[in-house]
Amino acid sequence: NPQNGQNIFVGTLKNGILKTEDGGENWSALVFPAEKVYGLVNDHADGNIVYASGVYKERGKIFKSLNGGVDWDEVYTAPSDGPLVVAMANDRKNSSVLFAATSDKQMIKSTDAGVSWKNIYASNSPITKIVADGSLVYANTQSGDLWISRDGGKKFEVSSIKGDVNFIAIDQGNASMIYAAGKAGLFRSRDAGKDWEELKTLGDPGSFPVKVVAVNPANSAEIVYGAGQAIYKSVDGGSSWMTSQLETEKNISTIMYDTGNSSVLYLGLKKK
């Protein structure tokens, strides 16, 4: 929840959506129509508004809650069984604007908080992650490409970055400062993807791909990334790294800073 870092929603592959009000100490299961959840975003202006995508009666759908996940209304459905809504984003500058991507390589957009939608882009590979901040929209594809729009999704261009990247993160204080990560390594652009610099990671990214990246919202020089079962943290903009090993056989799949306390990190793990 952008207004309350102790309030967190987690989508699962078997048990719908889980919610905590105390920073993860206690969890409750929400009554959500779908068991398998693919996309989950909070409204940036009102944390009680939540959007989630899942499969209901074999069809991909998007649902919206106005009261923190207590009640849900359907706001989008796929035209037939099969296509799933696999990624979602809420525009950080205008919370009425939503982006969603489907497993059949389509990107759709709503400018009225999910009331209506239009198809804006067809990619050459399913889109796995979207980040939207005003006119800047970034999208990762399953094939390892990074697509960038500078006009709110009207036109997209493929990034000049070389190699396979499967994750994108932005500096929340400067949406033109973006990070791309994957088997190719960890890269940073200071001009919304026009030019790139490689940040040297610890270890071979080909063997241990950088799966996730996050930037401290209160300190742009602090960057963390996850590879395998280890966390790497830099406090000097990526020049040097400190390491922490997790005692688990699962891989790190998510890193998020607490929106209210940037000294707190949340990690998500999944089976290899």
Side-chain angles (χ1 to χ4, degrees):
N1 182 333
Q3 285 78 50
N4 178 7
Q6 296 287 293
N7 177 208
I8 305 162
F9 299 85
V10 174
T12 74
L13 291 178
K14 294 182 179 180
N15 300 299
I17 299 175
L18 307 178
K19 176 182 177 180
T20 178
E21 299 278 5
D22 54 15
E25 296 296 327
N26 298 281
W27 295 88
S28 60
L30 300 181
V31 180
F32 184 66
E35 292 183 354
K36 185 176 289 189
V37 180
Y38 287 92
L40 179 60
V41 292
N42 272 101
D43 184 296
H44 281 293
D46 184 347
N48 287 316
I49 300 177
V50 188
Y51 300 90
S53 66
V55 179
Y56 180 68
K57 294 184 178 179
E58 300 183 354
R59 188 159 296 193
K61 296 180 181 288
I62 298 175
F63 300 90
K64 178 180 180 179
S65 174
L66 298 174
N67 52 13
V70 177
D71 302 296
W72 296 90
D73 292 315
E74 180 183 313
V75 294
Y76 172 82
T77 183
S80 64
D81 295 351
L84 309 174
V85 180
V86 293
M88 297 175 60
N90 184 225
D91 190 332
R92 295 176 52 80
K93 293 230 174 23
N94 182 352
S95 63
S96 294
V97 175
L98 296 164
F99 294 87
T102 64
S103 58
D104 58 353
K105 308 176 186 179
Q106 306 299 311
M107 183 186 289
I108 59 176
K109 178 181 180 180
S110 172
T111 58
D112 51 17
V115 175
S116 62
W117 298 84
K118 62 180 179 180
N119 196 316
I120 63 169
Y121 178 64
S123 66
N124 58 358
S125 175
I127 294 168
T128 56
K129 184 175 176 64
I130 307 169
V131 178
D133 192 294
S135 59
L136 292 173
V137 183
Y138 306 105
N140 282 120
T141 68
Q142 199 172 72
S143 62
D145 290 328
L146 169 60
W147 290 86
I148 302 171
S149 173
R150 306 179 195 280
D151 55 10
K154 294 178 182 178
K155 294 184 295 183
F156 280 86
E157 61 187 49
V158 66
S159 167
S160 61
I161 193 170
K162 302 299 183 183
D164 186 352
V165 293
N166 55 22
F167 190 85
I168 187 74
I170 69 169
D171 184 325
Q172 295 186 30
N174 177 11
S176 293
M177 181 87 78
I178 61 174
Y179 294 81
K183 289 183 178 180
L186 177 60
F187 301 85
R188 176 172 58 206
S189 173
R190 301 176 186 271
D191 53 12
K194 294 178 182 177
D195 301 291
W196 293 91
E197 59 181 317
E198 183 176 3
L199 301 180
K200 294 298 184 181
T201 59
L202 299 182
D204 176 16
S207 300
F208 300 98
V210 179
K211 289 294 187 180
V212 285
V213 185
V215 183
N216 188 330
N219 178 10
S220 296
E222 182 177 307
I223 310 162
V224 293
Y225 76 85
Q229 297 91 42
I231 295 290
Y232 300 85
K233 175 182 175 180
S234 174
V235 294
D236 56 12
S239 296
S240 59
W241 301 93
M242 297 173 282
T243 66
S244 298
Q245 180 70 40
L246 300 181
E247 296 301 323
T248 177
E249 294 182 354
K250 296 181 179 180
N251 284 334
I252 299 164
S253 60
T254 303
I255 300 179
M256 293 185 68
Y257 278 91
D258 186 310
T259 54
N261 181 0
S262 60
S263 66
V264 176
L265 277 174
Y266 293 99
L267 309 179
L269 307 176
K270 70 177 183 179
K271 293 180 180 179
K272 295 180 182 179

